Amino acid sequence: MLSGPGGVGKSTVSDYLRKNCPDIWVSVSATTRAPRMGEQDGIDYFFRTESEFKDQITNNEFLEWAHFADNYYGTPKAPVFQEISAGRSVLLEIEISGARQVRSASDQAYLVFLAPPSIVELERRLLGRGTESPERAAQRLELAQEEMAQSHWFDEVLVNTSVEEVAARLITLASQPR
Ligand code: 5GP
């Protein structure tokens, strides 16, 4: 499981693994956030209305879910169990409170915290994304700083020096028995 502050590059790593590593299945989350430019329903996320998402919570369809930066995010449970039963490694790319839920639900999960090379770099990425209003970007930066303080309870901290290096480490971890 891959977590870490928003803007650190988790989704770039997930996208890379989706394209280059068929042995790792990357979970597709549900969210109430509006699609960003180029994002596709069912590929990047399952885009849901708030009422659809809340129905899924009520029906216990999520492995974990969280309210983050004014939106809901959750991991659909059924496909994760399906992939695990089929013997594949599963990667969840989620924020910290979701990671906590996974930690308390399963001692088989291996939790990786992806850290930015520096806070300055993280600010540059978050503010430079240009997909959010300045207020929203500032809120995300504040959240990211709070998230950075959580790395200590993860199984491993990886600094995002390059996508290839992070992906290589995750592939090694996925090949180890749990
Ligand atoms: P974004 O809106 O930038 O795509 O995602 C915001 C945050 O939500 C990121 O830290 C991302 O990892 C996290 N996230 C994405 N999907 C899930 C999920 O299913 N559960 C949880 N808890 N967080 C998620």
Side-chain angles (χ1 to χ4, degrees):
M1 203 221 51
L2 186 64
S3 197
V8 74
K10 302 188 293 288
S11 57
T12 312
V13 173
S14 305
D15 290 346
Y16 180 91
L17 289 170
R18 272 195 186 111
K19 287 190 191 109
N20 297 293
C21 186
D23 293 339
I24 299 180
W25 180 78
V26 183
S27 167
V28 180
S29 299
T31 184
T32 59
R33 167 168 79 57
R36 293 193 184 116
M37 183 99 83
E39 285 183 333
Q40 288 176 273
D41 188 42
I43 294 179
D44 300 285
Y45 279 108
F46 295 107
F47 294 101
R48 297 286 180 251
T49 63
E50 197 164 312
S51 110
E52 287 167 342
F53 195 98
K54 286 184 174 165
D55 283 346
Q56 287 186 272
I57 296 175
T58 309
N59 296 333
N60 199 23
E61 288 178 31
F62 292 123
L63 193 65
E64 60 71 41
W65 64 270
H67 192 239
F68 177 88
D70 292 341
N71 285 297
Y72 288 93
Y73 296 86
T75 305
K77 199 190 282 184
V80 171
F81 288 155
Q82 219 169 298
E83 294 294 328
I84 290 174
S85 312
R88 291 179 86 191
S89 295
V90 167
L91 181 80
L92 309 183
E93 185 247 287
I94 60 182
E95 52 68 73
I96 312 281
S97 74
R100 261 194 200 284
Q101 295 170 52
V102 173
R103 169 87 306 160
S104 44
S106 162
D107 51 13
Q108 282 184 315
Y110 191 83
L111 274 63
V112 174
F113 185 97
L114 191 62
S118 71
I119 287 287
V120 174
E121 173 63 18
L122 184 66
E123 277 179 28
R124 198 185 59 76
R125 284 169 179 238
L126 268 174
L127 303 176
R129 232 180 209 168
T131 52
E132 269 123 338
S133 66
E135 295 76 31
R136 182 57 68 88
Q139 182 195 19
R140 282 191 175 238
L141 184 58
E142 202 175 309
L143 270 172
Q145 279 160 346
E146 286 168 21
E147 291 180 299
M148 283 297 293
Q150 300 286 321
S151 62
H152 60 95
W153 55 265
F154 280 74
D155 293 311
E156 183 163 330
V157 177
L158 286 181
V159 177
N160 192 4
T161 43
S162 83
V163 177
E164 289 80 7
E165 272 176 27
V166 173
R169 178 63 187 149
L170 293 175
I171 291 167
T172 303
L173 286 169
S175 67
Q176 290 169 355
R178 293 249 160 268

